[in-house]
Amino acid sequence: MDMLGDLESLQFEYGIQEEDRSWLYLQGRSRGLMIKACAHATFFCKLLCNLRESFHEKQTSSCPLTGLLTGIPDDDELKVGIIGGGHLGKQLARVLLQLVPIPAENLRISTRRPEALDEFQKLGIQCFYHNPYLVDWANVLFLCCLPSQLPNICLEIQTRLEKGCIVYSFVAAVPVARLKLLLNHTNILRPQYQCVENFVNIWGANKDITAALQDPMILQATCPYSPAGGIILNIKWLEGVLYAVLNICTARDMPHLQVLQLLNELLLSVHFEDCDKDGASCPKFQLHDFVSQIYSKNLSQRRPFPWFDLTAVQLKETPFGQHLSASTALQDHLTYRYCDSFGISLPQGQQPGVSTRL
């Protein structure tokens, strides 16, 4: 039992003057941003892990002897690199390790002070200061550095980035169009968060981020369509996530019909209690949800999807964005799948996004 935990004199607010207490809401906002950022990164990595497991299952089912003998190829493993070992980088690493979960050997951190990451090195995570080496290895790269550090980092790594490597940026001050120029790369995701005034602080103060994301109320507040806690995610992030999955499938030269089937299995196979037993009335992804009608008519069945510029997806209107904004059923099913990936199932009437659409 923590006998000192409730002592008022040990609380953060105790030493703050009365005239400065009006700024305390910034503490809750900062914590909320951290929790949402880590939650969305975790969902993205969970989705990629499930995608790779599906690849492996299909490979072993079509060629069982080969699958049993060779196991999962190294290229099919999710290998996550984090540039930046500050507060955000460390919180993200803890969450990915525990909630995805990513094996320690599949997570590496490059930071100017690797000696400060002793807790991670004891877990078997490689921590060093060599950004190009990290980029050569990773297929998902999280940027958790300061804006002032970003230009030099981009200069170091831009020639080492493979086309399929997904760069996921938490550097809020640098827009995605600028990142594209700095990195000479288009496979970039950058979540954008909008903060509103007069919000109810639901983010807690004493739980670490991993524990917070196991609290059903806090987790529901991180749902893509939820405005709870005063922080709203720009839904273009969700579009970018879906098109990033399409790019991974295109890199494997997978026919688009198989890709659509895979997406439906990954994202739309979890249903509400009042859905039809066979899910026949539930939404299903179609080719024209992701590409124009003209392009879809000219795409043969064996052809993969085209390669998508993720920066353009997040900056411009897309077929999937139009479909998503018009279909509340799709929004609700994706929200339900999001919560289910964290082990929380919600009745349809309690979906965070039902009453407030972005």
Side-chain angles (χ1 to χ4, degrees):
M1 181 183 298
D2 186 0
M3 300 180 63
L4 303 179
D6 294 327
L7 288 179
E8 183 181 354
S9 60
L10 295 180
Q11 302 303 309
F12 174 81
E13 297 88 351
Y14 182 76
I16 298 178
Q17 300 298 320
E18 190 63 36
E19 61 269 20
D20 295 326
R21 288 183 171 267
S22 60
W23 299 103
L24 281 175
Y25 77 96
L26 292 175
Q27 182 191 24
R29 175 178 290 178
S30 174
R31 178 173 169 80
L33 283 168
M34 178 80 70
I35 290 173
K36 277 210 166 188
C38 288
H40 299 150
T42 299
F43 173 74
F44 179 62
C45 288
K46 281 176 176 282
L47 180 60
L48 296 193
C49 284
N50 292 338
L51 179 66
R52 282 169 163 78
E53 288 175 7
S54 296
F55 290 156
H56 182 57
E57 288 172 4
K58 291 183 184 299
Q59 178 185 351
T60 53
S61 63
S62 61
C63 190
L65 291 177
T66 302
L68 288 172
L69 291 172
T70 62
I72 301 176
D74 184 61
D75 288 345
D76 276 356
E77 293 183 351
L78 182 65
K79 295 177 288 188
V80 176
I82 298 175
I83 293 183
H87 184 54
L88 174 57
K90 288 188 285 191
Q91 291 285 6
L92 178 64
R94 294 186 189 110
V95 170
L96 296 181
L97 278 171
Q98 297 180 50
L99 297 186
V100 175
I102 291 177
E105 62 269 20
N106 287 2
L107 178 63
R108 297 179 184 179
I109 304 172
S110 177
T111 176
R112 292 184 299 174
R113 295 186 58 219
E115 68 277 4
L117 302 182
D118 185 57
E119 66 166 295
F120 296 106
Q121 297 186 54
K122 288 179 179 178
L123 296 173
I125 297 172
Q126 293 189 35
C127 303
F128 46 78
Y129 182 34
H130 200 309
N131 297 328
Y133 173 73
L134 182 69
V135 172
D136 287 342
W137 171 83
N139 45 39
V140 174
L141 183 70
F142 287 98
L143 298 179
C144 301
C145 58
L146 296 173
S148 60
Q149 299 168 342
L150 188 64
N152 286 335
I153 290 173
C154 291
L155 194 61
E156 282 185 299
I157 69 175
Q158 63 171 218
T159 60
R160 312 291 281 267
L161 281 168
E162 295 287 342
K163 181 180 180 180
C165 180
I166 300 172
V167 178
Y168 194 116
S169 176
F170 287 118
V171 187
V174 182
V176 70
R178 176 65 174 158
L179 278 170
K180 179 180 179 179
L181 292 174
L182 288 172
L183 290 170
N184 192 27
H185 193 65
T186 63
N187 219 25
I188 302 171
L189 286 175
R190 179 183 172 272
Q192 296 185 64
Y193 300 96
Q194 178 184 354
C195 298
V196 299
E197 296 180 358
N198 302 320
F199 66 95
V200 176
N201 184 3
I202 62 169
W203 304 111
N206 299 320
K207 295 179 182 177
D208 64 28
I209 305 299
T210 304
L213 288 176
Q214 296 173 55
D215 181 322
M217 183 182 72
I218 292 178
L219 183 63
Q220 290 177 42
T222 71
C223 288
Y225 284 96
S226 175
I231 300 169
I232 301 171
L233 170 69
N234 187 325
I235 210 60
K236 296 294 286 184
W237 170 83
L238 188 56
E239 293 180 44
V241 166
L242 267 290
Y243 281 101
V245 171
L246 296 185
N247 279 350
I248 292 173
C249 296
T250 297
R252 300 176 68 94
D253 204 30
M254 182 180 290
H256 69 271
L257 292 179
Q258 291 184 24
V259 176
L260 291 171
Q261 180 185 356
L262 189 58
L263 276 181
N264 286 323
E265 292 171 359
L266 288 174
L267 292 171
L268 299 178
S269 61
V270 180
H271 304 287
F272 302 113
E273 292 181 2
D274 57 353
C275 288
D276 292 345
K277 289 185 179 180
D278 59 358
S281 64
C282 298
K284 293 287 188 294
F285 292 123
Q286 307 291 334
L287 176 59
H288 56 75
D289 294 336
F290 298 100
V291 296
S292 68
Q293 293 281 359
I294 295 176
Y295 191 93
S296 64
K297 289 178 181 178
N298 295 314
L299 190 65
S300 64
Q301 292 187 358
R302 294 182 177 275
R303 290 286 303 278
F305 276 98
W307 186 268
F308 295 100
D309 179 339
L310 298 189
T311 63
V313 166
Q314 294 165 88
L315 292 171
K316 300 177 181 179
E317 195 172 72
T318 66
F320 180 67
Q322 294 173 337
H323 177 55
L324 185 61
S325 62
S327 174
T328 56
L330 179 57
Q331 295 172 19
D332 292 341
H333 275 75
L334 290 175
T335 299
Y336 193 88
R337 182 67 182 91
Y338 175 89
C339 292
D340 180 77
S341 71
F342 287 92
I344 295 178
S345 296
L346 302 175
Q348 188 168 9
Q350 294 183 16
Q351 292 303 295
V354 168
S355 61
T356 306
R357 301 293 175 197
L358 300 185

